[in-house]
Structures are given as C-alpha cells and as structure tokens.
Amino acid sequence: MESNGAQGIERRSAGHLPTVWDGELVKSLTTPYSFECHGPRLEELKQAATELLATAKQHCDRLDLINTMQRLGVAYHFEKDIKDILAKLVDVNIASDLYTVALQFRLLRQNGVFISTDVFNKFMERDGKFLDSLGEDVTGLLSLYEASYLGMPDEHVLDEALYFSTKNLSVQKELDRNMAEQIQQSLEFPLHWRMLWTESRDFIDVYQKDDKMNSVLLELAKLNYNITQSVYLKELQQLAEWWKDLNYKETLPFVRDRLLECYFWAMGCGPQVQFSKFRWNLTKFAYIATVIDDIYDTYGSLDELEKFTNAVYRWDLKAIDQLPEYMKVIYSALYNHVSEMVEDALIHNGMDILPYIKEQWSYFIRGYLQEARWLHNGYNPTADEYLENAWHTIEHWSESDLVCLPAYIIRLLDDLKTAKIEMERGESMNFIHFYMIEKGASEEEASDHVKGLIRNLWKKLNKAIVKDSHRAPAIVKVTVEMTRSIHRMYQYGDWFGIQSKKNKDCVKSILEPIQMEQYDQALLK
C-alpha cells in the first residue's frame, strides 16, 4: 500500500487505542450559557465582588478574599485591585498567626512580589526547626505547606517548612470531612502546581459547602465558569471539523488520535477567553506534533525519518514527492497549518513569521531524529545527553529561564508518568530508563530522583517568576499556566496514551457546564 519501497519495512507499534471521543457527538453538544445572554448578570456580580475587595479592611480578610477569588478562577477580573492590595501587604509584621503569614507569603510570591522567608522566623527555634507547638494548628500547617512550594534555590527555611508541615498534616485525626479532603488533596498535589481551570471546578464544590461561603462569589464563579466553557465548546466544535477532514483514524491508525486532549492543553496554556486564536493554533500544533512523535518513536524507518526531516528543512511542498504515502498526509497538515498562521500574521500584524516558525520546527524535528538515530543504532545515551537533546530543541531561540525551565519540567513529567508502560512495551527513549542504566538504580530510585529534579526546577522557576513579573508579566503568566496544565495532564498517568476515567473527566469539563439551579429553573419556565 505504501510507495518508496515501504512494503518490506518491519513496523513497530505502541498499541495506541483509538480516541474515545466522537467528533459528531462533540459538534452536537449545546450549552444555555453565553456572554450575550448572561453578560449583564456577570458584570453585576463582578461589581459586587469589586466592592467586597474595597470594603475588606483587615489584612487577614483581604488575603482570604484574594485567595478565594484565585481558587474560584475569577481573580483575573480584578488584577489591578488585587495588585494594589498586595503591594500594601509586603510588611513582614502584618500578622502573628501562622495561617495568615504563610498565606501572605504564598500570595505575594505567586503574584510576582518578593517577600523574604524571614517572615517565618517568629515561628522557629534557634536551631532552624519550627516550634513543636504549631503541630496542632491544622489550618496554619496547611497554609505553611502550600507556602513551602513557593521556595527558591537555597531557601532552606522552606525545605524545613515542607518537612514539618507534611509530617504533622499526615498524622492529623478527628478532622471534619471537608478539611480532611483538602489536606489529602494538597499532600498529593500542592496548590501552586494546580491548573486554574480544574482547580476552579474542584474548589467551587468545596466552597459551596463552606459555612463562610459568600453567595456573590459563588454565583460569580459558577457563571464565569459556564460562560467560559461555552466559548471553549464552540472552539472545540470548530476544531472538530478540521479533525474530521484529517481523518487520521483511517489514514494513520497507529498514532494517538487525541484532538480533545490537545485542546485541553492549549486551553490550560491560555485560558482567557480573548485568546481564541492562540488556543486554535496551539491545539493544531500539539495534535500534529503528537502524530509526528509517534512516527519518529515507533513507526517510521530511519531512512523515512531522514527524508521527513529533510522535507521539513526544505519547507517546500515539492519535497512531499520523496515521502511514503503515510508521511505525506502529516507533512501536508503541518505545511498547511503553518501557512495559515503565517498568512494570518502577515494580514493582521504586518509580520512575516515564517522564518521563525521554520527554524523552530527544524530544531523540534532534529531532536526527534536524534532520538530515532539512538534507537535504531542501539545507543543508550546518558541521562544528561538525553536531556541535552531536549534542550537543543528550544535553546536556540531563547535562553530565558521562563522558556527553558518549563521545557525541562514538561519533559521530566512526561517521562515520569510514561516510563513504566513504555519500558513494558520495549521503548527506551525515557530519562528514567537511561538514569537506571547509568546509575544502576531501581525504577523507584530513578522516579524519586526525577521528582527531586522537578521540585528543584520549580524553585528556579519561582525565582524567575518574581524576577520577571514586572518586566514581562504576560510571558510569566503563560509560562506558569503552561507548566501547571502539564502537571494536571500527567497527574494520573499518561495523558495522551491512557484514556483513564480521571483523564476523561478532565476533558469533560470542557464539554459540560456546572449546574446552576436558579438559571436551570428559569430555562424550564
């Protein structure tokens, strides 16, 4: 069936299952929520929330309100107000209780404002240990635990904070169910690493059970979520048409056909509704890159991969004639996608971005090809060589920590969560595999090493967030959102490979609004 002598090639397969999502079903979904219908009420609620910020006088109340808004996913509506409030809360002596001080520390650093770890000195012994008397302060311990993830390199106070809070939270008993669930969730996955979209969905459920719940904030969070979800659904339905036209389920049945999963990542990287074009292009990039990844990882022969790489270097549709049939469809998709972006940028921005995109794809593909050469030649690189190859796919256009650190975190998270299943099916291009060989380590030891690397990379990223928040706030925001979205995607295993219930529930959050009784009942009348 394939030309260019492909008939005699022995093909490998990763055994990827077909997508669980049906494009026609996605296109048939509807939602009663929209900005056109519910925008006026949303604006009323935003105004009421603004007044809440203005009337909160106590430092602890202001911090609690900002924290609640962030977790409900509505803080971006009040960025200037929140920034002005936090600027007045840098004083190290605004509170004497552990909960408030730790919350102050976390919120300031999360929002790009430096605050010293000296704020915790009042809670520590001379030997650098936290006071034993804090062991029963559950809310304080949880706040301290979350703050510890905002640490920077060499801030040993926060290492001790993580150890102390984890140890004491793990042995707490006789807690109410709500608090017990929050502690368990945090010990598994800290707030600072959580994706905004899924955190807001989860926290809405928690918040509406809270005795101190504010009805304005709850309604605002739900309505804001549902209006945003309606935007995401429309975008996904439009992408489903492109997906249908590609028809890789038939033409490339060996690849991971994961459009919705790719859109979820793009949405996590740029969740604000005005970034529709960003999500559109990033979804297409992720989908095409996933297909190419499968071709380089398992299916293509080395000769075919060399030809595909050269075709990308040439960036000429005539190069398609040198490719086997199965590669022609993905090369065409790549070429057409890039051409659309280039034309759009030229029309709307007066910029020719083609040289930059060609260069980026060339480096991207070169990294894939290097791994394929290693595999086909039976060469096991060191763990550092493996990471260095990943580095070369991005370092040519930026040496900024805001670019490099997320790239490393993403690579290590992917490898951490996919290593076991990849090694079971005989695939070796994984940091864990190479570390085990190089160090004679067990899989558990290698995994623990990777977790340590990820935590240390986050410390460096935390430093970059504070350093660059005033100089490049938009880039900082995308960097953090992208890294958090990858954390969520790989929280429960191989996001693109294993379509587990938890991963499917995650994708469903794009497809289904939150129930709002007062609005749902009105629709029935």
Side-chain angles (χ1 to χ4, degrees):
M1 181 174 179
E2 296 181 352
S3 62
N4 300 328
Q7 293 90 341
I9 296 173
E10 183 179 346
R11 304 291 185 185
R12 294 182 302 122
S13 172
H16 298 304
L17 297 176
T19 179
V20 297
W21 306 106
D22 179 74
E24 294 304 316
L25 175 62
V26 170
K27 289 190 287 184
S28 72
L29 296 173
T30 60
T31 173
Y33 298 95
S34 68
F35 188 78
E36 291 75 17
C37 294
H38 299 93
R41 179 56 180 164
L42 183 69
E43 293 303 316
E44 290 176 4
L45 292 166
K46 285 165 59 178
Q47 183 57 43
T50 301
E51 293 173 6
L52 290 175
L53 281 169
T55 55
K57 300 302 181 184
Q58 298 296 320
H59 295 319
C60 58
D61 293 336
R62 287 179 163 188
L63 290 168
D64 270 330
L65 185 55
I66 292 170
N67 183 50
T68 299
M69 285 178 162
Q70 286 191 349
R71 297 190 66 183
L72 288 173
V74 297
Y76 69 96
H77 289 301
F78 315 99
E79 280 189 359
K80 185 180 184 305
D81 296 316
I82 290 173
K83 183 179 179 180
D84 291 344
I85 291 172
L86 290 176
K88 300 173 183 176
L89 298 180
V90 183
D91 188 333
V92 297
N93 296 312
I94 70 166
S96 59
D97 64 291
L98 181 59
Y99 169 81
T100 304
V101 171
L103 180 60
Q104 171 202 18
F105 182 89
R106 174 169 64 83
L107 290 179
L108 284 169
R109 287 209 173 179
Q110 275 183 342
N111 288 275
V113 181
F114 180 77
I115 181 172
S116 171
T117 58
D118 290 348
V119 295
F120 295 112
N121 287 348
K122 63 173 71 76
F123 305 109
M124 306 185 76
E125 303 280 6
R126 290 186 177 181
D127 63 358
K129 305 294 184 182
F130 279 85
L131 298 169
D132 289 338
S133 58
L134 299 170
E136 299 300 318
D137 179 6
V138 178
T139 56
L141 287 170
L142 184 55
S143 187
L144 179 65
Y145 172 86
E146 300 292 7
S148 72
Y149 280 87
L150 276 296
M152 299 178 186
D154 301 320
E155 289 188 329
H156 304 299
V157 169
L158 295 179
D159 293 333
E160 178 62 26
L162 176 62
Y163 170 77
F164 177 79
S165 57
T166 301
K167 180 183 71 173
N168 284 280
L169 287 171
S170 300
V171 297
Q172 294 295 324
K173 298 179 180 179
E174 299 181 3
L175 300 172
D176 67 76
R177 183 176 178 180
N178 202 15
M179 176 57 74
E181 289 177 352
Q182 288 190 63
I183 290 174
Q184 181 180 358
Q185 185 181 23
S186 289
L187 290 177
E188 293 175 357
F189 209 65
L191 266 176
H192 187 45
W193 292 3
R194 294 183 200 171
M195 182 181 175
L196 178 64
W197 179 252
T198 52
E199 169 61 10
S200 63
R201 182 66 185 86
D202 292 340
F203 189 65
I204 285 170
D205 287 340
V206 173
Y207 186 63
Q208 63 188 0
K209 301 172 188 174
D210 193 327
D211 294 337
K212 299 178 182 178
M213 177 269 291
N214 182 289
S215 59
V216 168
L217 290 181
L218 182 62
E219 185 183 351
L220 172 61
K222 288 185 175 182
L223 189 57
N224 185 72
Y225 183 99
N226 285 347
I227 291 175
T228 304
Q229 182 268 334
S230 73
V231 173
Y232 295 161
L233 180 59
K234 288 178 182 177
E235 292 174 357
L236 189 53
Q237 289 171 332
Q238 292 170 346
L239 282 162
E241 287 292 337
W242 175 78
W243 184 32
K244 178 182 178 182
D245 291 340
L246 291 178
N247 193 28
Y248 286 171
K249 180 169 62 175
E250 300 295 333
T251 58
L252 299 174
F254 57 88
V255 302
R256 291 166 293 178
D257 187 17
R258 303 290 186 264
L259 181 80
L260 275 72
E261 289 81 359
C262 290
Y263 179 83
F264 185 86
W265 176 61
M267 177 271 290
C269 296
Q272 291 79 11
V273 292
Q274 67 267 31
F275 295 148
S276 178
K277 190 178 294 184
F278 171 85
R279 289 187 291 274
W280 175 272
N281 285 323
L282 193 56
T283 300
K284 287 188 173 183
F285 161 78
Y287 185 82
I288 291 169
T290 301
V291 172
I292 293 175
D293 184 36
D294 288 339
I295 290 173
Y296 275 75
D297 272 359
T298 57
Y299 194 79
S301 70
L302 187 56
D303 178 64
E304 290 172 343
L305 300 180
E306 297 277 4
K307 289 179 179 177
F308 190 90
T309 303
N310 290 331
V312 173
Y313 288 169
R314 285 179 57 188
W315 203 257
D316 183 350
L317 271 181
K318 294 178 181 178
I320 205 171
D321 296 334
Q322 305 301 315
L323 301 178
E325 290 299 321
Y326 79 93
M327 281 185 165
K328 291 179 179 179
V329 293
I330 189 59
Y331 187 83
S332 295
L334 170 60
Y335 190 91
N336 292 336
H337 165 54
V338 170
S339 297
E340 288 173 7
M341 288 195 297
V342 170
E343 182 180 6
D344 183 77
L346 195 60
I347 293 173
H348 295 100
N349 303 100
M351 297 173 57
D352 180 12
I353 62 173
L354 181 58
Y356 306 102
I357 297 182
K358 283 167 57 178
E359 183 182 28
Q360 179 61 26
W361 267 107
S362 294
Y363 275 89
F364 195 66
I365 292 292
R366 186 181 301 174
Y368 280 159
L369 181 62
Q370 180 61 67
E371 290 188 359
R373 286 171 174 167
W374 285 338
L375 179 66
H376 285 271
N377 293 329
Y379 176 70
N380 287 321
T382 66
D384 286 343
E385 278 182 297
Y386 172 79
L387 271 187
E388 185 179 359
N389 183 58
W391 156 258
H392 280 307
T393 65
I394 53 99
E395 66 89 18
H396 67 284
W397 66 274
S398 178
E399 294 185 2
S400 167
D401 283 345
L402 293 177
V403 175
C404 301
L405 294 172
Y408 280 130
I409 292 172
I410 290 168
R411 177 73 272 162
L412 291 171
L413 278 171
D414 185 337
D415 285 4
L416 178 65
K417 295 298 184 176
T418 61
K420 187 175 183 64
I421 192 167
E422 286 180 354
M423 288 190 288
E424 285 176 352
R425 64 184 182 221
E427 296 179 24
S428 61
M429 285 299 141
N430 189 292
F431 181 90
I432 297 229
H433 173 77
F434 297 131
Y435 185 84
M436 290 170 63
I437 293 175
E438 182 183 348
K439 303 296 184 181
S442 66
E443 185 178 339
E444 182 179 2
E445 290 169 337
S447 296
D448 288 342
H449 175 68
V450 169
K451 291 174 184 176
L453 290 176
I454 292 170
R455 178 154 170 75
N456 287 331
L457 287 167
W458 259 108
K459 290 180 180 181
K460 294 178 181 179
L461 184 56
N462 290 335
K463 185 176 181 179
I465 290 169
V466 171
K467 174 187 173 185
D468 294 321
S469 280
H470 298 291
R471 183 170 63 92
I475 296 175
V476 167
K477 185 175 293 185
V478 171
T479 292
V480 173
E481 288 168 345
M482 178 180 293
T483 310
R484 286 173 173 167
S485 67
I486 292 293
H487 264 288
R488 177 56 188 85
M489 288 162 57
Y490 287 100
Q491 185 177 358
Y492 299 112
D494 184 357
W495 173 258
F496 290 103
I498 302 173
Q499 301 170 95
S500 65
K501 181 181 184 304
K502 289 183 177 179
N503 285 345
K504 285 187 284 187
D505 287 345
C506 212
V507 173
K508 281 182 182 178
S509 67
I510 309 171
L511 308 177
E512 301 172 352
I514 298 173
Q515 286 191 338
M516 299 183 69
E517 292 184 5
Q518 67 270 45
Y519 293 89
D520 296 339
Q521 290 173 0
L523 289 169
L524 294 173
K525 292 180 180 179

Short mmCIF file of all heavy atoms in Angstrom, two decimals, residues 415-455:
data_model
loop_
_atom_site.label_atom_id
_atom_site.label_comp_id
_atom_site.label_asym_id
_atom_site.label_seq_id
_atom_site.Cartn_x
_atom_site.Cartn_y
_atom_site.Cartn_z
N ASP A 415 8.12 11.92 31.09
CA ASP A 415 8.89 10.69 31.27
C ASP A 415 8.56 9.98 32.58
O ASP A 415 8.51 8.75 32.65
CB ASP A 415 10.39 11.00 31.22
CG ASP A 415 10.87 11.28 29.80
OD1 ASP A 415 10.02 11.31 28.88
OD2 ASP A 415 12.08 11.50 29.60
N LEU A 416 8.32 10.76 33.62
CA LEU A 416 8.00 10.18 34.93
C LEU A 416 6.71 9.36 34.86
O LEU A 416 6.63 8.27 35.43
CB LEU A 416 7.85 11.31 35.96
CG LEU A 416 7.47 10.89 37.39
CD1 LEU A 416 8.57 10.06 38.02
CD2 LEU A 416 7.18 12.12 38.25
N LYS A 417 5.72 9.89 34.15
CA LYS A 417 4.41 9.26 34.14
C LYS A 417 4.23 8.21 33.04
O LYS A 417 3.26 7.45 33.05
CB LYS A 417 3.32 10.33 34.00
CG LYS A 417 3.25 11.28 35.19
CD LYS A 417 2.90 10.55 36.48
CE LYS A 417 2.73 11.51 37.64
NZ LYS A 417 2.31 10.83 38.88
N THR A 418 5.16 8.18 32.08
CA THR A 418 5.02 7.22 30.98
C THR A 418 6.09 6.13 30.99
O THR A 418 6.01 5.19 30.20
CB THR A 418 5.07 7.94 29.62
OG1 THR A 418 6.34 8.61 29.48
CG2 THR A 418 3.95 8.97 29.51
N ALA A 419 7.07 6.25 31.88
CA ALA A 419 8.22 5.34 31.86
C ALA A 419 7.82 3.88 31.98
O ALA A 419 8.27 3.03 31.20
CB ALA A 419 9.20 5.72 32.97
N LYS A 420 6.99 3.58 32.95
CA LYS A 420 6.66 2.19 33.24
C LYS A 420 6.02 1.50 32.04
O LYS A 420 6.47 0.43 31.61
CB LYS A 420 5.72 2.11 34.45
CG LYS A 420 5.46 0.68 34.92
CD LYS A 420 4.62 0.67 36.19
CE LYS A 420 4.41 -0.75 36.70
NZ LYS A 420 5.67 -1.38 37.11
N ILE A 421 5.00 2.12 31.48
CA ILE A 421 4.30 1.48 30.36
C ILE A 421 5.17 1.45 29.11
O ILE A 421 5.11 0.50 28.32
CB ILE A 421 2.95 2.20 30.09
CG1 ILE A 421 2.10 1.36 29.14
CG2 ILE A 421 3.15 3.61 29.55
CD1 ILE A 421 0.66 1.81 29.06
N GLU A 422 6.01 2.48 28.92
CA GLU A 422 6.89 2.49 27.75
C GLU A 422 7.93 1.38 27.85
O GLU A 422 8.21 0.67 26.87
CB GLU A 422 7.58 3.85 27.62
CG GLU A 422 6.65 4.95 27.11
CD GLU A 422 7.35 6.28 26.99
OE1 GLU A 422 8.52 6.38 27.42
OE2 GLU A 422 6.74 7.23 26.47
N MET A 423 8.51 1.19 29.03
CA MET A 423 9.52 0.14 29.20
C MET A 423 8.89 -1.24 29.07
O MET A 423 9.52 -2.17 28.58
CB MET A 423 10.23 0.31 30.55
CG MET A 423 11.18 1.51 30.56
SD MET A 423 12.26 1.60 32.01
CE MET A 423 11.11 2.07 33.29
N GLU A 424 7.64 -1.38 29.51
CA GLU A 424 6.96 -2.66 29.39
C GLU A 424 6.75 -3.06 27.94
O GLU A 424 6.71 -4.25 27.61
CB GLU A 424 5.61 -2.60 30.12
CG GLU A 424 5.75 -2.64 31.64
CD GLU A 424 4.41 -2.49 32.34
OE1 GLU A 424 3.40 -2.19 31.64
OE2 GLU A 424 4.36 -2.64 33.58
N ARG A 425 6.58 -2.06 27.06
CA ARG A 425 6.39 -2.40 25.64
C ARG A 425 7.68 -2.27 24.84
O ARG A 425 7.67 -2.25 23.61
CB ARG A 425 5.27 -1.56 25.03
CG ARG A 425 5.51 -0.08 24.97
CD ARG A 425 4.28 0.64 24.43
NE ARG A 425 4.50 2.07 24.32
CZ ARG A 425 3.61 2.99 24.65
NH1 ARG A 425 2.44 2.63 25.14
NH2 ARG A 425 3.87 4.27 24.48
N GLY A 426 8.81 -2.15 25.55
CA GLY A 426 10.12 -2.19 24.90
C GLY A 426 10.66 -0.87 24.41
O GLY A 426 11.67 -0.85 23.69
N GLU A 427 10.03 0.25 24.76
CA GLU A 427 10.52 1.56 24.35
C GLU A 427 11.51 2.08 25.39
O GLU A 427 11.29 1.94 26.59
CB GLU A 427 9.36 2.54 24.18
CG GLU A 427 8.41 2.14 23.06
CD GLU A 427 7.26 3.11 22.92
OE1 GLU A 427 7.39 4.28 23.31
OE2 GLU A 427 6.19 2.69 22.43
N SER A 428 12.59 2.70 24.93
CA SER A 428 13.66 3.08 25.86
C SER A 428 13.94 4.57 25.91
O SER A 428 14.73 5.02 26.74
CB SER A 428 14.95 2.35 25.47
OG SER A 428 15.35 2.71 24.15
N MET A 429 13.34 5.38 25.04
CA MET A 429 13.65 6.81 25.00
C MET A 429 12.96 7.53 26.15
O MET A 429 11.94 8.20 25.99
CB MET A 429 13.23 7.41 23.65
CG MET A 429 14.15 7.03 22.53
SD MET A 429 15.83 7.64 22.82
CE MET A 429 16.79 6.26 22.21
N ASN A 430 13.55 7.38 27.32
CA ASN A 430 12.95 7.93 28.54
C ASN A 430 14.05 8.21 29.54
O ASN A 430 14.97 7.40 29.72
CB ASN A 430 11.94 6.91 29.10
CG ASN A 430 11.12 7.48 30.24
OD1 ASN A 430 11.65 7.74 31.32
ND2 ASN A 430 9.83 7.66 30.01
N PHE A 431 13.99 9.34 30.21
CA PHE A 431 15.03 9.73 31.17
C PHE A 431 15.19 8.67 32.26
O PHE A 431 16.31 8.33 32.67
CB PHE A 431 14.68 11.08 31.80
CG PHE A 431 15.71 11.58 32.78
CD1 PHE A 431 16.76 12.38 32.35
CD2 PHE A 431 15.64 11.26 34.12
CE1 PHE A 431 17.72 12.84 33.25
CE2 PHE A 431 16.58 11.71 35.03
CZ PHE A 431 17.63 12.49 34.59
N ILE A 432 14.07 8.14 32.73
CA ILE A 432 14.12 7.15 33.82
C ILE A 432 14.91 5.92 33.38
O ILE A 432 15.74 5.40 34.13
CB ILE A 432 12.69 6.76 34.23
CG1 ILE A 432 11.98 7.98 34.77
CG2 ILE A 432 12.69 5.57 35.17
CD1 ILE A 432 11.27 7.91 36.05
N HIS A 433 14.67 5.46 32.17
CA HIS A 433 15.37 4.29 31.63
C HIS A 433 16.87 4.53 31.59
O HIS A 433 17.67 3.69 32.04
CB HIS A 433 14.83 3.97 30.23
CG HIS A 433 15.58 2.89 29.53
ND1 HIS A 433 15.42 1.55 29.83
CD2 HIS A 433 16.51 2.95 28.52
CE1 HIS A 433 16.21 0.82 29.04
NE2 HIS A 433 16.88 1.65 28.25
N PHE A 434 17.28 5.67 31.07
CA PHE A 434 18.71 5.95 30.92
C PHE A 434 19.36 6.20 32.28
O PHE A 434 20.53 5.82 32.49
CB PHE A 434 18.92 7.15 30.00
CG PHE A 434 18.44 6.91 28.60
CD1 PHE A 434 17.62 7.84 27.95
CD2 PHE A 434 18.78 5.76 27.91
CE1 PHE A 434 17.18 7.61 26.66
CE2 PHE A 434 18.34 5.52 26.63
CZ PHE A 434 17.53 6.45 25.99
N TYR A 435 18.64 6.78 33.20
CA TYR A 435 19.19 7.00 34.55
C TYR A 435 19.39 5.66 35.26
O TYR A 435 20.39 5.46 35.95
CB TYR A 435 18.25 7.90 35.36
CG TYR A 435 18.79 8.28 36.72
CD1 TYR A 435 19.66 9.35 36.88
CD2 TYR A 435 18.44 7.54 37.86
CE1 TYR A 435 20.16 9.70 38.13
CE2 TYR A 435 18.94 7.88 39.11
CZ TYR A 435 19.80 8.95 39.23
OH TYR A 435 20.30 9.29 40.47
N MET A 436 18.44 4.75 35.10
CA MET A 436 18.56 3.42 35.71
C MET A 436 19.80 2.70 35.20
O MET A 436 20.54 2.07 35.98
CB MET A 436 17.30 2.60 35.42
CG MET A 436 16.05 3.07 36.15
SD MET A 436 14.53 2.25 35.56
CE MET A 436 14.88 0.53 35.98
N ILE A 437 20.03 2.78 33.88
CA ILE A 437 21.21 2.12 33.28
C ILE A 437 22.50 2.78 33.77
O ILE A 437 23.45 2.10 34.18
CB ILE A 437 21.13 2.17 31.74
CG1 ILE A 437 19.97 1.32 31.24
CG2 ILE A 437 22.44 1.71 31.12
CD1 ILE A 437 19.74 1.42 29.75
N GLU A 438 22.53 4.09 33.73
CA GLU A 438 23.74 4.84 34.06
C GLU A 438 24.13 4.69 35.52
O GLU A 438 25.32 4.52 35.85
CB GLU A 438 23.53 6.31 33.72
CG GLU A 438 24.75 7.20 33.98
CD GLU A 438 24.47 8.65 33.69
OE1 GLU A 438 23.41 8.96 33.08
OE2 GLU A 438 25.29 9.50 34.08
N LYS A 439 23.13 4.75 36.41
CA LYS A 439 23.40 4.74 37.85
C LYS A 439 23.19 3.38 38.50
O LYS A 439 23.46 3.22 39.70
CB LYS A 439 22.51 5.77 38.56
CG LYS A 439 22.65 7.20 38.03
CD LYS A 439 24.04 7.76 38.27
CE LYS A 439 24.14 9.22 37.82
NZ LYS A 439 25.49 9.78 38.03
N GLY A 440 22.71 2.42 37.76
CA GLY A 440 22.39 1.13 38.35
C GLY A 440 21.26 1.25 39.36
O GLY A 440 21.22 0.51 40.36
N ALA A 441 20.35 2.17 39.11
CA ALA A 441 19.27 2.46 40.06
C ALA A 441 18.03 1.65 39.74
O ALA A 441 17.82 1.19 38.61
CB ALA A 441 18.93 3.95 40.01
N SER A 442 17.18 1.48 40.74
CA SER A 442 15.88 0.84 40.53
C SER A 442 14.93 1.86 39.90
O SER A 442 15.21 3.07 39.89
CB SER A 442 15.30 0.36 41.85
OG SER A 442 14.99 1.47 42.70
N GLU A 443 13.82 1.38 39.41
CA GLU A 443 12.84 2.30 38.82
C GLU A 443 12.32 3.28 39.88
O GLU A 443 12.12 4.47 39.59
CB GLU A 443 11.67 1.50 38.22
CG GLU A 443 10.66 2.37 37.50
CD GLU A 443 9.54 1.56 36.87
OE1 GLU A 443 9.72 0.34 36.65
OE2 GLU A 443 8.47 2.15 36.61
N GLU A 444 12.12 2.79 41.10
CA GLU A 444 11.64 3.67 42.18
C GLU A 444 12.67 4.74 42.51
O GLU A 444 12.32 5.91 42.70
CB GLU A 444 11.34 2.84 43.43
CG GLU A 444 10.79 3.67 44.58
CD GLU A 444 10.47 2.83 45.80
OE1 GLU A 444 10.70 1.59 45.76
OE2 GLU A 444 9.99 3.39 46.81
N GLU A 445 13.94 4.36 42.57
CA GLU A 445 15.00 5.33 42.85
C GLU A 445 15.10 6.37 41.73
O GLU A 445 15.28 7.57 42.00
CB GLU A 445 16.34 4.61 43.01
CG GLU A 445 16.44 3.79 44.29
CD GLU A 445 17.67 2.88 44.30
OE1 GLU A 445 18.18 2.56 43.21
OE2 GLU A 445 18.10 2.50 45.40
N ALA A 446 14.98 5.92 40.49
CA ALA A 446 15.03 6.85 39.37
C ALA A 446 13.84 7.80 39.39
O ALA A 446 13.98 9.00 39.12
CB ALA A 446 15.05 6.07 38.05
N SER A 447 12.67 7.28 39.74
CA SER A 447 11.48 8.13 39.83
C SER A 447 11.62 9.17 40.92
O SER A 447 11.26 10.34 40.74
CB SER A 447 10.24 7.27 40.08
OG SER A 447 9.99 6.39 39.00
N ASP A 448 12.16 8.76 42.08
CA ASP A 448 12.38 9.71 43.17
C ASP A 448 13.38 10.79 42.76
O ASP A 448 13.22 11.97 43.13
CB ASP A 448 12.88 8.98 44.42
CG ASP A 448 11.80 8.16 45.10
OD1 ASP A 448 10.61 8.41 44.82
OD2 ASP A 448 12.15 7.26 45.88
N HIS A 449 14.38 10.40 42.00
CA HIS A 449 15.36 11.37 41.52
C HIS A 449 14.69 12.40 40.61
O HIS A 449 14.95 13.61 40.72
CB HIS A 449 16.47 10.65 40.76
CG HIS A 449 17.48 11.57 40.13
ND1 HIS A 449 18.36 12.33 40.87
CD2 HIS A 449 17.73 11.85 38.82
CE1 HIS A 449 19.12 13.05 40.04
NE2 HIS A 449 18.76 12.78 38.80
N VAL A 450 13.83 11.93 39.72
CA VAL A 450 13.14 12.83 38.80
C VAL A 450 12.22 13.78 39.58
O VAL A 450 12.14 14.98 39.27
CB VAL A 450 12.34 12.04 37.75
CG1 VAL A 450 11.41 12.96 36.96
CG2 VAL A 450 13.30 11.33 36.81
N LYS A 451 11.53 13.26 40.58
CA LYS A 451 10.66 14.12 41.39
C LYS A 451 11.47 15.22 42.07
O LYS A 451 11.03 16.37 42.17
CB LYS A 451 9.91 13.29 42.44
CG LYS A 451 8.87 12.35 41.85
CD LYS A 451 8.28 11.44 42.92
CE LYS A 451 7.31 10.44 42.31
NZ LYS A 451 6.78 9.48 43.33
N GLY A 452 12.66 14.88 42.53
CA GLY A 452 13.54 15.87 43.14
C GLY A 452 14.00 16.91 42.13
O GLY A 452 14.07 18.11 42.44
N LEU A 453 14.30 16.46 40.91
CA LEU A 453 14.69 17.40 39.85
C LEU A 453 13.56 18.37 39.54
O LEU A 453 13.79 19.58 39.36
CB LEU A 453 15.08 16.63 38.58
CG LEU A 453 16.38 15.83 38.61
CD1 LEU A 453 16.55 15.07 37.30
CD2 LEU A 453 17.58 16.74 38.84
N ILE A 454 12.35 17.85 39.47
CA ILE A 454 11.19 18.69 39.16
C ILE A 454 10.99 19.74 40.24
O ILE A 454 10.74 20.92 39.96
CB ILE A 454 9.91 17.83 38.98
CG1 ILE A 454 10.03 16.99 37.71
CG2 ILE A 454 8.66 18.71 38.94
CD1 ILE A 454 8.94 15.95 37.55
N ARG A 455 11.11 19.33 41.50
CA ARG A 455 10.94 20.29 42.60
C ARG A 455 12.02 21.36 42.54
O ARG A 455 11.74 22.55 42.76
CB ARG A 455 10.97 19.55 43.94
CG ARG A 455 10.84 20.50 45.12
CD ARG A 455 10.24 19.83 46.34
NE ARG A 455 10.35 20.68 47.51
CZ ARG A 455 9.60 21.75 47.75
NH1 ARG A 455 8.69 22.12 46.87
NH2 ARG A 455 9.75 22.48 48.84
#
